[in-house]
């Protein structure tokens, strides 16, 4: 298992290198620059700013300098948040995004898995159709539509919950962002779990278990649920990484100071180092979550073994 883990981490190195290289050069060739939004700066001041951040160096030299700093864990200074480094901004934003995203994933699992199992066990019944219809609607309606509606209804018209703001992570401020972020995940997980359960329930070993006289409850809990979780586990790897690193739309709409909001602000302001920092952080998290999913596979399916 340790050897497999190390191999996977080494295999991720070229992947990360490609991601970083493409992101770096695409950011630099995009129109505009980090100081274009400033009021008309005298040419000599703008030249001094570019020299201070080494933006007047040739691109290959900037790239090599960035890679050298990155190897030392230094994402560089932010061009727009003058008193902060990118590392400090990520350290501030990640706990916020992690809290929102973690609660959204937890809610999605608590609702999506049982709904998928119930729909599979009552296949082609009214319950099945109702669950899948609601799930389809949850997938079809994007969260940039759901979030403003929730804020308008529960935050403005009914005034039950705050329509926005973070307030130090107070519970009332968490409710609407978490619901808005989890609705699509609930729908995806429910549909995946239903399809997987139907396939597993038709397997030979399930028929054998029933032929041995096990009750339906024993068949489901002992033999069906664990293998049915494998596709959901595969989906959760990138999904969790995407959610806990910040939802761009949800954080913008509700004014949450997470990584997603920093990413948007960085892209709009051409804050090269901030955008690069969030991209590298997100890419590394994707790699780790996929590795974790593969390791969980062996726990869910005894037939899967990783040689040392």
């Amino acid at each position: 298992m340790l050897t497999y883990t190390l191999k996977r981490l080494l295999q991720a190195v070229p992947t990360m290198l490609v991601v970083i290289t493409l992101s770096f050069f695409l950011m630099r060739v995009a129109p505009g620059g980090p100081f274009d939004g400033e009021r008309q700066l005298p040419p000599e001041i703008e030249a001094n700013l570019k020299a201070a951040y080494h933006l007047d160096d040739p691109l290959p030299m900037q790239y090599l300098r960035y890679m050298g700093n990155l190897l030392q864990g230094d994402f560089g200074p932010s061009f727009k948040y003058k008193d902060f480094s990118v590392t400090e901004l990520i350290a501030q934003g990640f706990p916020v995004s992690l809290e929102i995203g973690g609660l959204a994933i937890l809610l999605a699992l608590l609702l999506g898995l049982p709904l998928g199992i119930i729909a599979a066990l009552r296949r082609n019944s009214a319950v099945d159709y109702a669950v899948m219809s609601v799930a389809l609607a949850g997938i079809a309606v994007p969260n940039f539509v759901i979030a403003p509606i929730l804020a308008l209804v529960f935050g403005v018209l009914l005034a039950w919950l705050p329509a926005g703001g973070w307030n130090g992570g107070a519970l009332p401020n968490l409710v609407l962002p978490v619901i808005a972020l989890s609705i699509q995940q609930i729908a995806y997980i429910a549909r995946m779990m239903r399809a997987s359960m139907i396939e597993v329930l038709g397997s030979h070993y399930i028929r054998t278990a029933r032929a041995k006289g096990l009750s339906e409850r024993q068949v489901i809990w002992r033999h069906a649920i664990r293998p049915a979780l494998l596709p959901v586990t595969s989906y959760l790897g990138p999904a969790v990484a995407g959610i806990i690193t910040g939802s761009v739309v949800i954080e913008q709409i509700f004014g949450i100071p997470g990584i997603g909001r920093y990413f948007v602000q960085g892209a709009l302001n051409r804050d090269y180092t901030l955008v690069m920092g969030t991209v590298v952080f997100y890419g590394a998290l994707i790699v780790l979550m996929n590795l974790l999913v593969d390791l969980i596979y062996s726990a869910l399916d005894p037939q899967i073994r990783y040689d040392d």
Side-chain angles (χ1 to χ4, degrees), residues 100 103 107 150 154 160-162 166 169-182 254:
I100 295 283
L103 290 172
L107 182 62
L150 290 175
F154 297 101
W160 289 352
L161 294 164
W166 179 238
L171 183 59
N173 293 74
L174 294 175
V175 175
L176 294 182
V178 168
I179 291 175
L181 198 54
S182 64
F254 290 103

Side-chain angles (χ1 to χ4, degrees), residues 215-275:
S215 66
E216 193 64 18
R217 182 186 297 270
Q218 289 174 315
V219 169
I220 292 168
W221 283 103
R222 290 185 186 177
H223 302 286
I225 287 183
R226 284 179 62 179
L229 282 172
L230 289 175
V232 179
T233 306
S234 296
Y235 168 75
L236 284 178
V240 169
I243 288 180
I244 67 175
T245 48
S247 167
V248 171
V249 174
I250 299 299
E251 291 183 1
Q252 279 292 112
I253 291 175
F254 290 103
I256 297 170
I259 289 184
R261 196 177 181 197
Y262 282 134
F263 178 79
V264 172
Q265 295 300 323
L268 292 175
N269 294 321
R270 296 291 187 275
D271 193 340
Y272 298 145
T273 50
L274 181 55
V275 172

Side-chain angles (χ1 to χ4, degrees), residues 13 37-38 52 66 83 114 148-149 178 184 190 199 207 242 269 271 276 297 299 302:
V13 172
E38 306 282 354
Y66 183 80
D83 298 327
I149 292 175
V178 168
Q184 279 196 330
E199 184 178 349
R207 285 196 288 271
N269 294 321
D271 193 340
M276 285 299 300
Y297 259 38

Side-chain angles (χ1 to χ4, degrees), residues 14-249:
T15 304
M16 288 300 300
L17 188 60
V18 170
V19 170
I20 294 169
T21 303
L22 283 177
S23 304
F24 181 89
F25 285 103
L26 286 175
M27 277 295 299
R28 300 307 167 103
V29 299
F35 308 115
D36 290 355
E38 306 282 354
R39 59 182 181 179
Q40 292 295 320
L41 292 174
E44 59 273 15
I45 294 180
E46 187 170 347
N48 288 337
L49 283 172
K50 287 184 176 178
Y53 291 109
H54 304 288
L55 295 177
D56 54 351
D57 291 342
L59 266 184
M61 189 179 296
Q62 293 183 42
Y63 172 72
L64 292 176
R65 180 179 289 108
Y66 183 80
M67 292 301 292
N69 293 334
L70 195 60
L71 288 175
Q72 302 174 45
D74 181 10
F75 288 107
S78 169
F79 295 154
K80 287 297 175 184
Y81 298 90
K82 303 295 184 187
D83 298 327
F84 295 93
S85 68
V86 173
T87 305
E88 290 171 334
L89 292 174
I90 291 176
Q92 287 179 11
F94 182 58
V96 175
S97 297
L98 178 64
E99 184 173 359
I100 295 283
L103 290 172
I105 282 292
L106 182 63
L107 182 62
L109 289 173
L110 289 176
L111 294 180
L113 291 178
L115 286 174
I117 293 171
I118 291 170
L121 295 178
R122 305 196 176 192
R123 185 182 179 186
N124 296 330
S125 69
V127 174
D128 181 21
Y129 293 141
V131 171
M132 288 303 102
S133 298
V134 172
L136 188 60
I139 293 172
V141 182
N143 56 17
F144 64 78
V145 174
I146 295 172
I149 292 175
L150 290 175
L152 177 65
V153 173
F154 297 101
V156 178
L157 298 179
L158 298 176
W160 289 352
L161 294 164
W166 179 238
N167 194 23
L171 183 59
N173 293 74
L174 294 175
V175 175
L176 294 182
V178 168
I179 291 175
L181 198 54
S182 64
I183 285 178
Q184 279 196 330
Q185 304 305 325
I186 293 171
Y188 279 120
I189 291 173
R191 288 179 64 84
M192 237 177 297
M193 192 65 192
R194 174 188 180 273
S196 182
M197 275 294 288
I198 289 174
E199 184 178 349
V200 169
L201 290 174
S203 303
H204 295 300
Y205 67 90
I206 293 293
R207 285 196 288 271
T208 303
R210 285 172 174 152
K212 287 181 176 179
L214 294 179
S215 66
E216 193 64 18
R217 182 186 297 270
Q218 289 174 315
V219 169
I220 292 168
W221 283 103
R222 290 185 186 177
H223 302 286
I225 287 183
R226 284 179 62 179
L229 282 172
L230 289 175
V232 179
T233 306
S234 296
Y235 168 75
L236 284 178
V240 169
I243 288 180
I244 67 175
T245 48
S247 167
V248 171
V249 174

Side-chain angles (χ1 to χ4, degrees), residues 1-10 291 295 306-307:
M1 183 73 76
L2 180 60
T3 306
Y4 173 79
T5 303
L6 291 175
K7 281 182 182 176
R8 286 290 305 273
L9 291 175
L10 288 175
L291 172 60
L295 297 179
Y306 300 113
D307 295 329

